Structures are given as structure tokens and as C-alpha cells.
């Protein structure tokens, strides 16, 4: 099993540009999570999908952030326009169920907005 | 408010020595507690998981304990190796809720 796949691994962009992060969950997992990790705030849940449907997006910081899951094997997190304070590591995780089952994290995308 | 607090924030130990990390939580109702290891530049990887009825769980040189009454957990690393250098994150899962509560992590540095 290849695990959760994320791309790109690193992204450097200028303020105001659009950024798209990609995630391929583990095959067979029906739950997908996007997290943001910073030194100040640790890991924060941004959005949770179950069976490709967004269940909870209350963690999405602003309207500049949007996420989609068009099918069971692909999800995107988009930031438009990006700002320097969006600089962080963004993780995608998947699981077979919610809560009681282990979430498997991808390697993350390190985003730097200058 | 569900909270998870870890201590110490960081520690340095010599290769071959033991260390213990602490985690206190206020998450309720409680389902399970996991310790994750996060290597630099990688995503977190689960080391152990414990439910309410479990007191101890081992994974190689890693041993986790749980006291559900006092809402405390510890992770003990035995005979540390250079590869143990990482951040260790305590994660608590509430019952019937997908929102995990994450600790800030303890950064462990093992020196030769």
C-alpha cells in the first residue's frame, strides 16, 4: 500500500497567487481530513469529508480556502488568494471510519507564501 | 473545552538512555488515546492506541500507559536510539466524534 499521497511536497508562491494542494487517500478509506500544522497552533482540522461529501468545514479559516473531493481517490485544497500567514504544512489524512479508527497521514505539503 | 497538554515541550537525551513523556487531557467523553511519532518533514505515524480499559500498551521500545481516572498518559522510550529523534504527539479521540484533540507535541532529540 502506497499510503496517503500528497503533492506537491513543497510549494513556494507569492502573495496573491492561487495555490492548489492535492491528496490521494488510501484505497478503501471513506473518510478524508485536511489539517494545517504550524509551530504556534499545532495540528488543526480544516475540513472533513465522508464518502466524498464535506461533513464539517468549520475549520476552514476564511473564504479564501476551499476544498473538493470529486471522487473517492482524489481531493484538493485550494487557497485563493494566498497570504503570508497561510504558510504552514498541510496534511491530508484518511481513515476507514471516523473517531475510533486510525487516521493515516500523508507526508504533507510545506507551503511558503512570500 | 477539550484540551490535551504535553510535557515537556522538548528534551535532549543521550543514546541508550530512557525517557518519559507526559500527556494530560480533558477530552470527554473519551474513546481512545494515541501516541503519534512525527519525524522531521514527515506526517505523524501512530505508535500506540489505548482505549478506556487499557492501562499499558507496548510497541517495541515504546511503552504507553493510560490512567483514565486521572486522565493522564505517558510514553516511555527505552534504550533510545538516534532514530527516536522526532516529535511525539498525544492525540485523544472523543466518543462519537471525528474531531481529534491534538497535543502540541514533545520534541525529543537523541544525541550520540
Amino acid at each position: 500500500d502506497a499510503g496517503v499521497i500528497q503533492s506537491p511536497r513543497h510549494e513556494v508562491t507569492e502573495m496573491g497567487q492561487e495555490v492548489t494542494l492535492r491528496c490521494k487517500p488510501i484505497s478503501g478509506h471513506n473518510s478524508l481530513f485536511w489539517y494545517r500544522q504550524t509551530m504556534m497552533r499545532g495540528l488543526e482540522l480544516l475540513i472533513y469529508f465522508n464518502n466524498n461529501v464535506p461533513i464539517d468545514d468549520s475549520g476552514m479559516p476564511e473564504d479564501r480556502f476551499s476544498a473538493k473531493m470529486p471522487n473517492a481517490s482524489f481531493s484538493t485544497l485550494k487557497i485563493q488568494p494566498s497570504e503570508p500567514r497561510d504558510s504552514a504544512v498541510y496534511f491530508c489524512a484518511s481513515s476507514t471510519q471516523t473517531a475510533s479508527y486510525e487516521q493515516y497521514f500523508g507526508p504533507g505539503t510545506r507551503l511558503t507564501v512570500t | 473545552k477539550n484540551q490535551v497538554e504535553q510535557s515537556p515541550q522538548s528534551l535532549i537525551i543521550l543514546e541508550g538512555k530512557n525517557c518519559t513523556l507526559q500527556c494530560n487531557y480533558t477530552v470527554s467523553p473519551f474513546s481512545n488515546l494515541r501516541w503519534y511519532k512525527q519525524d522531521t518533514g514527515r506526517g505523524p505515524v501512530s505508535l500506540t492506541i489505548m482505549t478506556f480499559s487499557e492501562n499499558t500498551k507496548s510497541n517495541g521500545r515504546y511503552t504507553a500507559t493510560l490512567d483514565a481516572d486521572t486522565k493522564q498518559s505517558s510514553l516511555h522510550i527505552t534504550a533510545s536510539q538516534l532514530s527516536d529523534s522526532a516529535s511525539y504527539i498525544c492525540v485523544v479521540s472523543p466518543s462519537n466524534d471525528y474531531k481529534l484533540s491534538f497535543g502540541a507535541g514533545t520534541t525529543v532529540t537523541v544525541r550520540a
Side-chain angles (χ1 to χ4, degrees):
Chain A
D1 194 331
V4 176
I5 299 173
Q6 291 187 246
S7 64
R9 293 295 311 277
H10 302 274
E11 178 79 40
V12 180
T13 191
E14 292 184 346
M15 182 173 126
Q17 297 298 307
E18 176 180 297
V19 175
T20 299
L21 311 181
R22 297 172 176 79
C23 173
K24 177 179 170 55
I26 294 173
S27 177
H29 284 192
N30 63 347
S31 295
L32 184 139
F33 307 82
W34 281 101
Y35 290 93
R36 179 172 65 179
Q37 186 179 43
T38 61
M39 288 292 290
M40 291 297 293
R41 302 172 70 92
L43 277 159
E44 302 173 285
L45 177 65
L46 298 177
I47 187 168
Y48 157 55
F49 290 89
N50 185 252
N51 292 322
N52 312 337
V53 176
I55 303 300
D56 182 356
D57 65 354
S58 60
M60 297 286 260
E62 301 171 31
D63 291 344
R64 298 183 296 106
F65 285 70
S66 63
K68 295 181 180 179
M69 192 165 186
N71 57 62
S73 59
F74 184 67
S75 177
T76 60
L77 178 67
K78 183 177 294 186
I79 308 173
Q80 166 64 20
S82 58
E83 297 183 2
R85 58 193 169 121
D86 301 331
S87 296
V89 181
Y90 291 82
F91 288 103
C92 175
S94 69
S95 73
T96 52
Q97 291 289 347
T98 61
S100 298
Y101 293 81
E102 180 178 352
Q103 292 184 21
Y104 294 81
F105 285 78
T109 295
R110 180 173 293 277
L111 173 64
T112 303
V113 183
T114 61
Chain B
K1 180 181 178 183
N2 291 335
Q3 288 188 312
V4 178
E5 296 185 352
Q6 292 186 241
S7 63
Q9 185 175 16
S10 63
L11 65 91
I12 300 172
I13 57 173
L14 292 177
E15 188 177 15
K17 299 297 185 181
N18 305 335
C19 68
T20 301
L21 317 180
Q22 301 290 341
C23 173
N24 296 333
Y25 63 93
T26 60
V27 177
S28 181
F30 173 86
S31 175
N32 61 69
L33 183 148
R34 287 192 173 91
W35 283 93
Y36 277 84
K37 179 187 180 187
Q38 184 175 16
D39 292 311
T40 301
R42 301 283 188 94
V45 176
S46 179
L47 289 174
T48 63
I49 175 174
M50 288 181 291
T51 59
F52 185 87
S53 59
E54 297 176 295
N55 300 119
T56 303
K57 185 70 70 75
S58 291
N59 178 359
R61 294 178 297 100
Y62 300 101
T63 299
T65 66
L66 173 65
D67 185 334
D69 291 332
T70 62
K71 298 187 177 181
Q72 296 180 323
S73 177
S74 67
L75 180 68
H76 185 77
I77 305 175
T78 303
S80 60
Q81 300 178 357
L82 297 178
S83 60
D84 293 330
S85 295
S87 177
Y88 292 84
I89 304 172
C90 178
V91 183
V92 182
S93 176
S95 299
N96 302 317
D97 194 339
Y98 51 86
K99 287 189 177 180
L100 305 179
S101 293
F102 293 87
T106 293
T107 300
V108 174
T109 302
V110 181
R111 291 187 173 166

